C-alpha cells in the first residue's frame, strides 16, 4: 500500500497543483496610509464559462487523525477551489496533477505551516478536505456551480497519508 | 462633531451596505461524506466589465484604538470588496449607502463578533480598514483593478467612532 509522507508546503513545490495563499515575500505594498501592508493577488481564481465566484465557509464536524487511509480523490474541471483556514491550523493536503489519467505514484502530500491556505488549480486532483480538529473553519472560494463540476476517482488499494510529525520509528507499529 | 457608536453587526442591519460573512444559519449542507458542514455562497462578489477577482491578504502595522477620528471614507464603484479576519478578531466598520451624495448622518458603525467578515457592495462608502492589534491579518477579495476604482470623500469635521465597549459615563472625559 502506497504511503505518502506530507512535506512542508512551499509555493515552488505546490506550483504544478495551484497556489499557496500566505502573507509572505517581498511583494507587500502599503495600504490605508501605511496602516496595513497588502499582499495582493495571491492566487489565480478560475471559473469557466463566465460563471460567478462563490465564497462560503466550511466547518469540520469530524477530527481526522493521521495516518489516514485515502480511498477517493476528486477534481473540479470547471474552476479553481481555494481553502483558507479562519484561525491558524496546520492541515494536510494530497494533490495530483491536473490531467485525465493519474497513478497513485503521481500523488504528493503537503502539510501547511498553520497560516497557509491553498488554491487548487482547475482540474487538480485532491484529497477531499480533512481537518485535525472539530470546529475548524475554512473559507472556500470556488466557482458557482450550475452544472456538475466534481469528478471522483476511487483509489484501490487506498493510499496511506502518514503523520508528518511522527518519526519513522514510531510508525512501524501502526496498523493503517 | 458627530459621534458614531458601533452596534453589533447583523445581516439585517448590514443589508443596505453588503453581506456579513459568517458560518451561521440553517443553510448548512453536508460535504465530504459528512465530515464538514458547508455554508455556501455567503456574499455577492461583484466585478464590473468582466474583470477578474483578486484574493490577497492585508496585515495591520498599526493598532488603532477607539475612539477614532474618521476623516476620510472611500468606495469602490466597480466592484465589491470583502474582508475576512484570518484569526478571530472583533473589528469596527463604518459604512454609508452606495449613492453619489451622502451626509455624515447617513453613516452607520458596526462591530463584528470576532468571527464575522464583511463584504462591501459595489459603491458602498466605508471607513478604510482599521485593526485593533498589530499583525492582524484579513483576507481581501475584490476586483482586479486595471483602472481607477477608489473614490475618497473627506469628512469635515471628522466623525468620531466611539469605543463600543466603553460605557457612556466613561466617555465624557475623552478628548477625541
Amino acid at each position: 500500500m502506497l504511503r505518502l509522507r506530507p512535506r512542508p508546503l512551499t509555493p515552488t513545490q505546490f506550483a504544478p497543483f495551484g497556489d499557496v495563499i500566505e502573507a509572505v515575500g517581498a511583494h507587500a505594498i502599503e495600504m490605508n496610509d501605511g496602516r496595513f501592508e497588502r499582499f495582493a493577488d495571491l492566487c489565480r481564481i478560475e471559473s469557466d464559462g463566465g460563471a460567478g465566484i462563490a465564497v462560503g465557509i466550511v466547518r469540520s464536524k469530524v477530527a481526522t487523525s493521521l495516518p489516514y487511509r485515502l480511498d477517493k480523490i476528486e477534481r473540479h474541471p470547471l474552476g479553481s477551489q481555494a481553502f483558507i483556514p479562519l484561525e491558524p491550523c496546520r492541515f494536510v493536503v494530497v494533490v495530483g496533477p491536473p490531467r485525465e489519467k493519474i497513478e497513485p505514484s503521481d500523488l504528493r502530500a503537503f502539510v501547511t505551516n498553520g497560516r497557509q491556505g491553498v488554491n487548487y488549480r482547475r482540474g487538480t486532483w485532491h484529497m477531499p478536505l480533512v481537518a485535525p480538529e472539530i470546529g475548524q473553519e475554512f473559507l472556500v472560494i470556488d466557482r458557482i456551480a450550475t452544472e456538475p463540476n466534481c469528478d471522483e476517482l476511487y483509489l484501490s488499494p487506498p493510499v496511506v497519508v502518514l503523520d508528518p510529525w511522527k518519526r519513522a520509528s514510531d510508525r512501524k507499529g501502526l496498523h493503517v
Side-chain angles (χ1 to χ4, degrees), chain A:
Chain A
M1 209 180 285
L2 183 67
R3 291 172 171 230
L4 283 176
R5 175 202 285 272
R7 307 285 179 181
L9 180 64
T10 68
T12 303
Q13 296 280 318
F14 198 68
F17 314 106
D19 311 292
V20 177
I21 300 171
E22 187 181 14
V24 292
H27 306 298
I29 53 173
E30 287 213 338
M31 190 185 84
N32 290 6
D33 302 324
R35 289 197 298 274
F36 282 85
E37 49 186 342
R38 178 168 186 161
F39 301 80
D41 211 8
L42 298 175
C43 65
R44 184 165 153 217
I45 301 293
E46 300 167 298
S47 181
D48 277 15
I53 297 297
V55 175
I57 294 175
V58 297
R59 182 193 295 141
S60 58
K61 297 170 69 177
V62 174
T64 297
S65 59
L66 300 172
Y68 175 68
R69 280 174 189 266
L70 174 61
D71 59 6
K72 185 176 67 172
I73 56 177
E74 64 183 33
R75 67 172 176 180
H76 309 297
L78 301 179
S80 57
Q81 188 176 46
F83 294 94
I84 303 109
L86 291 180
E87 59 192 298
C89 164
R90 299 192 72 169
F91 64 104
V92 167
V93 300
V94 177
V95 286
R99 58 178 187 246
E100 198 60 32
K101 296 284 182 193
I102 66 163
E103 300 294 326
S105 59
D106 295 324
L107 297 174
R108 298 289 177 271
F110 297 98
V111 57
T112 69
N113 66 10
R115 303 203 69 94
Q116 294 164 323
V118 295
N119 183 50
Y120 299 127
R121 180 161 306 146
R122 177 184 46 201
T124 287
W125 291 100
H126 55 276
M127 172 172 71
L129 186 67
V130 296
E133 306 286 349
I134 292 175
Q136 177 70 41
E137 292 183 356
F138 294 82
L139 197 78
V140 184
I141 307 172
D142 59 6
R143 181 175 184 271
I144 291 179
T146 52
E147 62 272 74
N149 183 25
C150 186
D151 297 333
E152 294 179 337
L153 178 66
Y154 284 84
L155 302 172
S156 181
V159 166
V160 177
V161 185
L162 298 171
D163 184 333
W165 297 289
K166 286 261 201 230
R167 285 172 298 174
S169 59
D170 296 336
R171 284 206 309 272
K172 289 181 181 163
L174 292 173
H175 301 284
V176 291

